[in-house]
């Protein structure tokens, strides 16, 4: 046995590596504790005050606080900190979905049974994602080829938007999106809803990350400009932020595959919410202050788990849908409702025609109760396991940055089956089966 083998620890890893991992675990535990504490503070002092009418009510039960906090601590210990795609995406799930859900459960008065569904499904996804499965591989084409293709396709999409809409419904004001969105959608062919989602959540992030890999900053900025134009034509404001998220994740992870750096940025982001709200309350000026917190904290972090609680509570006492709205059942299953699940929840809890979309846990429960939620959780875990396999072949930073938006959509904003067609996940796996590992130096020589 050689000297290197003698130095290995009990897990077959060098003691200095084990010590580094233990330090990373302590750091990430500390950051999660701070992050969760700020979320709870903002819920009590801001959301339950200014947005109680929208469902963010304040109900302080010491047992709920203790239980929710204990669950957060358990998941913070359980979430992996390995340098792989699975660890990155599960940490994204914990920080952007589960931590806000637990803060909402602690102070929002939601039922323990609904919380247990969400926690159980999260555990199932965590465990299934550990499976070692091979990546999909058809052939090997350089990302540079796709970069060129995406540029042309994106320009073509902008021209088609202009052909069908002109600038009649073009809008770049976040405050006016709901005045333009429906009119723009009605004047576009139905196929454009799928194309716009696929471009904004998959192709443009792939283009941005590829441009950064091949050191083409102007091309990356061009994709950001295209995203702004997509927003202008469709009034979906999230499209503006997708290339920024992809670029930011790649920049951080390409230097060190360590989620604690991203979590630190999230801590700063929610801390800025505290500053934003404090200044708004002191100045009384709501025209400038408060929009950032409303958009980031309320809309991005707390609305998705609130809708999940609504789904879990409603379909615990009403009939499930059993995929009656899906093409999977070929119209053979009759829905007990005269509208799809998102509009059922919108009508029940908001009293209007709001389409309350939610992620794999709530939508799975709407389809078939506990069975549907657990089935979707297994599917979500397998999806993460497959992406983890691609990370081993094509690079952790590349796969994490390209797919983070789609996986966040899976966690918070769409039915699991719909995810693969309407949000481009099936196309993502097809493309990843074609794309070779990025090799910028070889491309630069060419």
């Amino acid at each position: 046995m050689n000297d290197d083998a003698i130095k290995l620890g009990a897990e077959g890893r060098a003691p200095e590596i084990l010590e580094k991992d233990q330090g990373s675990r302590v750091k990430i535990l500390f950051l999660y504790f701070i992050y969760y504490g700020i979320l709870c503070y903002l819920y009590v002092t801001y959301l339950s005050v200014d947005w109680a009418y929208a469902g963010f009510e304040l109900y302080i039960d010491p047992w709920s606080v203790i239980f929710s906090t204990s669950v957060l601590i358990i998941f913070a210990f359980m979430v992996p900190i390995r340098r792989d795609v699975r660890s990155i995406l599960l940490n994204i799930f914990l920080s952007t979905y589960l931590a806000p859900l637990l803060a909402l459960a602690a102070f929002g008065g939601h039922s323990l049974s609904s919380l247990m569904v969400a926690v159980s499904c999260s555990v199932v996804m965590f465990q299934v994602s550990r499976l070692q499965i091979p990546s999909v591989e058809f052939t090997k084409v350089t990302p540079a080829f796709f970069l060129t293709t995406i540029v042309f396709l994106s320009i073509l999409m902008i021209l088609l938007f202009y052909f069908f809409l002109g600038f009649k419904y073009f809008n770049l004001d976040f405050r006016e999106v709901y005045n333009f969105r429906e009119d723009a959608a009605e004047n576009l062919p139905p196929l454009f809803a799928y194309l716009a989602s696929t471009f904004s959540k998959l192709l443009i992030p792939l283009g941005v990350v590829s441009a950064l890999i091949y050191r083409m900053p102007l091309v990356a900025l061009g994709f950001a400009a295209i995203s702004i134009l997509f927003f202008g034509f469709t009034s979906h404001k999230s499209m503006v932020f997708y290339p920024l998220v992809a670029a930011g994740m790649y920049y951080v992870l390409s230097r060190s595959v360590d989620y604690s750096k991203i979590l630190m940025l999230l801590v700063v982001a929610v801390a800025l919410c505290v500053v934003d709200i404090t200044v708004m309350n002191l100045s009384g000026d709501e025209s400038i202050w408060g929009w950032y917190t409303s958009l980031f904290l309320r809309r991005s972090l707390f609305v998705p788990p609130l809708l999940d609680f609504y789904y879990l509570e409603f379909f615990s006492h009403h009939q499930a849908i059993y995929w009656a709205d899906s093409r999977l059942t070929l119209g053979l299953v009759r829905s007990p409702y005269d509208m799809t699940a998102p509009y059922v929840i919108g009508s029940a809890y908001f009293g209007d025609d709001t389409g309350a979309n939610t992620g794999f846990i709530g939508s799975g429960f709407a389809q078939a109760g506990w069975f549907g939620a657990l089935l979707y959780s297994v599917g979500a875990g397998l999806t993460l396991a497959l992406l983890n396999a691609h990370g081993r072949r094509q690079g952790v930073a590349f796969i994490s940055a390209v797919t983070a938006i789609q996986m966040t959509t899976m966690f918070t904003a769409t039915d699991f089956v719909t995810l693969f067609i309407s949000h481009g996940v099936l196309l993502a796996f097809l493309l990843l089966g074609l794309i070779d590992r990025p090799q910028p130096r070889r491309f630069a020589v060419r």
Side-chain angles (χ1 to χ4, degrees), residues 146-435:
F146 287 99
L147 177 61
T148 305
T149 305
I150 294 168
V151 168
F152 283 109
L153 291 177
S154 299
I155 294 173
L156 177 60
M157 275 293 295
I158 295 298
L159 294 175
L160 288 173
F161 272 123
Y162 178 75
F163 175 79
F164 285 105
L165 297 176
F167 288 111
K168 184 177 180 181
Y169 305 108
F170 192 83
N171 164 62
L172 294 178
D173 188 341
F174 281 11
R175 297 168 297 183
E176 298 293 331
V177 292
Y178 297 110
N179 296 328
F180 289 90
R181 183 181 300 174
E182 187 174 344
D183 291 333
E186 289 177 353
N187 286 275
L188 285 170
L191 180 62
F192 270 64
Y194 300 100
L195 291 175
S197 179
T198 299
F199 266 86
S200 63
K201 294 180 180 179
L202 171 63
L203 297 181
I204 288 179
L206 176 58
V208 168
V209 174
S210 298
L212 293 177
I213 289 173
Y214 293 111
R215 299 177 178 86
M216 299 178 177
L218 292 179
V219 176
L221 290 174
F223 279 117
I226 289 172
S227 292
I228 294 173
L229 290 175
F230 269 51
F231 160 62
F233 283 114
T234 65
S235 284
H236 285 281
K237 54 183 176 289
S238 55
M239 292 181 177
V240 175
F241 302 103
Y242 292 157
L244 300 178
V245 171
M249 284 200 63
Y250 179 75
Y251 179 82
V252 173
L253 296 177
S254 63
R255 282 151 179 77
S256 174
V257 183
D258 182 359
Y259 189 77
S260 65
K261 293 180 173 59
I262 297 175
L263 183 56
M264 195 175 301
L265 293 175
L266 285 173
V267 171
V268 172
V270 293
L272 288 176
C273 291
V274 177
V275 176
D276 183 33
I277 295 306
T278 301
V279 175
M280 183 187 73
N281 291 334
L282 292 175
S283 66
D285 185 0
E286 298 184 10
S287 62
I288 299 177
W289 304 101
W291 67 269
Y292 164 75
T293 305
S294 176
L295 188 64
F296 174 66
L297 180 81
R298 180 189 63 85
R299 185 63 188 87
S300 298
L301 295 182
F302 274 97
V303 166
L306 176 67
L307 295 180
D308 254 8
F309 273 125
Y310 285 165
Y311 271 76
L312 298 173
E313 291 162 2
F314 182 89
F315 287 102
S316 292
H317 302 94
H318 297 82
Q319 281 184 278
I321 296 175
Y322 296 106
W323 293 276
D325 302 326
S326 173
R327 293 184 178 89
L328 292 178
T329 56
L330 303 175
L332 299 176
V333 179
R334 199 178 186 94
S335 174
Y337 311 98
D338 58 358
M339 60 186 78
T340 59
Y343 290 98
V344 170
I345 298 301
S347 176
Y349 289 91
F350 301 105
D352 55 27
D353 58 351
T354 298
N357 293 296
T358 193
F360 73 94
I361 296 176
S363 61
F365 198 82
Q367 301 294 355
W370 267 98
F371 172 76
L374 293 176
L375 179 64
Y376 276 12
S377 301
V378 171
L382 290 174
T383 301
L384 298 187
L386 183 53
L387 289 176
N388 198 39
H390 278 285
R392 291 191 293 270
R393 183 167 74 88
Q394 292 152 306
V396 174
F398 177 70
I399 297 298
S400 298
V402 167
T403 62
I405 298 298
Q406 290 181 312
M407 292 303 98
T408 304
T409 300
M410 179 179 76
F411 300 148
T412 64
T414 193
D415 181 89
F416 183 72
V417 175
T418 305
L419 176 79
F420 282 80
I421 304 300
S422 300
H423 299 277
V425 171
L426 180 60
L427 177 61
F429 283 124
L430 292 175
L431 291 181
L432 293 179
L434 296 172
I435 296 175

